[in-house]
């Protein structure tokens, strides 16, 4: 009999740091934006396969708070791509019952992107097949600062008791409020770091790093990551015997 940790489980929440677009393009002697464009095709494919196999929450790190420091031309190219992605994918999201959410400082995004985003979030609000979180202008530390600020305000107001603050209170004040923590966190592109992504939520995520650049990360590579996840034993601090019940 299979050990209980080796069932073919579909992780409930998969989070991905979509890295390596720039190097993918540079390796082909093309401008970085060419890599970002190719990366959009991977986004389409991964959203589709995630929905197909029954992932309930998919979080994609598309733009970090630190990415604002890139050259203006790259930032504006990324914003244009984002807008056209949202415009062209809305129908597919509705057809596939995908609810769109945004994690991040939406007010820092250009107004035209913000309005398309707002509309797509509103239009897909009653979809229940899968939640797609786009992390845009997202930073884990900034998210925590926002949560602490909001909790401090509520404590002063009297609607929260500072002495009784719990981990759940913190989770409830993050962009991911009401969602489960990621089970599997994938980073493509070969770097082994979190780059300010889901610092609180990823505390027990299984980490999966691959050299594959994001534009080359497609259905098969995603399924490989899930297969690897299924070979891991998640112990959450317990012993292996406790987990298997032996
Ligand atoms: C990830 O690819 C996409 C964004 C950060 C927007 P990069 O643009 O970081 O690609 P590399 O890391 O330079 O190859
Ligand atoms: C992380 O990638 C952010 C996204 C994928 C959106 P970066 O390329 O910005 O990360 P660093 O700078 O290599 O840590
Ligand atoms: Mg990068």
């Amino acid at each position: 009999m299979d050990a209980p940790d080796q069932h073919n489980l579909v992780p409930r929440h998969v989070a991905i740091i979509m890295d390596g677009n720039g190097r993918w393009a540079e390796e082909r002697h093309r401008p970085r934006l060419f890599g970002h464009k190719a990366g959009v095709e991977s986004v389409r494919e991964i959203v589709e396969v995630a929905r197909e196999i029954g992932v309930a929450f998919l979080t994609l790190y598309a733009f970090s708070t630190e990415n604002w420091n890139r050259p203006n031309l790259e930032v504006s190219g990324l914003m244009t791509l984002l807008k056209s992605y949202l415009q062209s994918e809305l129908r597919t999201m509705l057809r596939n019952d995908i609810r769109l959410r945004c994690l991040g400082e939406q007010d820092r995004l250009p107004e035209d992107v913000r309005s398309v985003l707002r509309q797509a979030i509103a239009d897909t609000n009653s979809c229940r097949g899968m939640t797609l979180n786009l992390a845009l202008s997202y930073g884990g530390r900034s998210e925590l600062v926002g949560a602490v600020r909001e909790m401090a305000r509520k404590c002063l107001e009297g609607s929260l008791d500072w002495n009784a603050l719990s981990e759940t209170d913190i989770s409830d004040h993050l962009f991911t409020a009401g969602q489960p923590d990621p089970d599997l966190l994938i980073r493509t592109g070969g770097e082994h770091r979190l780059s300010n992504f889901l610092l609180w939520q990823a505390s027990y995520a299984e980490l999966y790093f691959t050299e594959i650049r994001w534009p080359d990360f497609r259905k098969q590579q995603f399924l490989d990551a899930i297969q690897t996840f299924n070979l891991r034993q998640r112990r959450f601090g317990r012993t292996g015997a406790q987990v298997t019940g032996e």
Side-chain angles (χ1 to χ4, degrees):
M1 205 178 95
D2 280 347
D5 55 308
Q6 289 180 337
H7 286 313
N8 281 325
L9 293 173
V10 173
R12 195 160 168 227
H13 186 169
V14 180
I16 310 182
I17 304 176
M18 310 184 290
D19 195 23
N21 294 348
R23 280 163 289 159
W24 184 90
E26 281 155 15
E27 284 153 11
R28 285 158 183 76
H29 310 286
R30 303 295 296 266
R32 294 177 56 85
L33 215 51
F34 179 70
H36 295 312
K37 279 188 190 137
V40 174
E41 291 313 310
S42 293
V43 172
R44 288 204 177 96
E45 194 167 317
I46 299 308
V47 170
E48 193 183 323
V49 57
R51 169 71 180 99
E52 215 174 84
I53 65 172
V55 169
F57 296 85
L58 176 68
T59 300
L60 300 178
Y61 202 7
F63 194 86
S64 72
T65 46
E66 288 74 23
N67 290 148
W68 289 115
N69 298 320
R70 292 195 177 190
N72 289 339
L73 206 65
E74 183 164 343
V75 171
S76 63
L78 281 166
M79 292 300 144
T80 306
L81 271 181
L82 173 61
K83 185 176 159 190
S84 69
Y85 168 78
L86 290 169
Q87 283 169 329
S88 68
E89 288 310 287
L90 180 58
R91 265 199 312 175
T92 314
M93 285 185 210
L94 289 168
R95 194 178 57 238
N96 293 338
D97 203 24
I98 295 174
R99 177 172 67 162
L100 180 72
R101 286 289 155 96
C102 172
L103 316 180
E105 303 162 347
Q106 276 184 64
D107 52 344
R108 286 184 75 182
L109 299 169
E111 178 47 40
D112 58 331
V113 175
R114 227 185 316 162
S115 98
V116 174
L117 185 62
R118 243 191 329 253
Q119 193 62 48
I121 290 172
D123 290 353
T124 60
N125 193 38
S126 56
C127 295
R128 289 293 176 270
M130 178 176 88
T131 296
L132 170 63
N133 292 317
L134 284 186
L136 297 170
S137 190
Y138 174 86
R141 286 190 165 194
S142 143
E143 179 184 40
L144 281 164
V145 170
V148 169
R149 235 182 238 149
E150 185 60 12
M151 287 189 296
R153 193 183 60 74
K154 289 182 181 170
C155 288
L156 283 173
E157 245 178 39
S159 58
L160 258 188
D161 174 5
W162 64 271
N163 219 6
L165 282 181
S166 65
E167 292 186 8
T168 309
D169 287 316
I170 295 183
S171 295
D172 287 348
H173 288 83
L174 301 176
F175 294 120
T176 46
Q179 302 188 6
D181 286 338
D183 301 292
L184 170 64
L185 194 159
I186 299 170
R187 182 173 190 142
T188 64
E191 309 299 350
H192 296 181
R193 53 179 172 256
L194 287 178
S195 301
N196 208 8
F197 189 44
L198 302 178
L199 296 182
W200 173 271
Q201 299 90 329
S203 78
Y204 252 108
E206 292 298 323
L207 307 180
Y208 179 87
F209 297 103
T210 169
E211 290 293 322
I212 298 167
R213 313 287 192 226
W214 177 250
D216 290 330
F217 192 86
R218 298 296 172 101
K219 180 174 182 171
Q220 191 52 53
Q221 289 73 25
F222 185 70
L223 296 177
D224 289 348
I226 290 183
Q227 198 177 29
T228 302
F229 168 84
N230 273 300
L231 296 173
R232 308 256 183 101
Q233 185 186 52
R234 302 186 80 191
R235 289 191 287 276
F236 298 102
R238 293 169 169 259
T239 66
Q242 280 180 301
V243 173
T244 56
E246 279 161 7

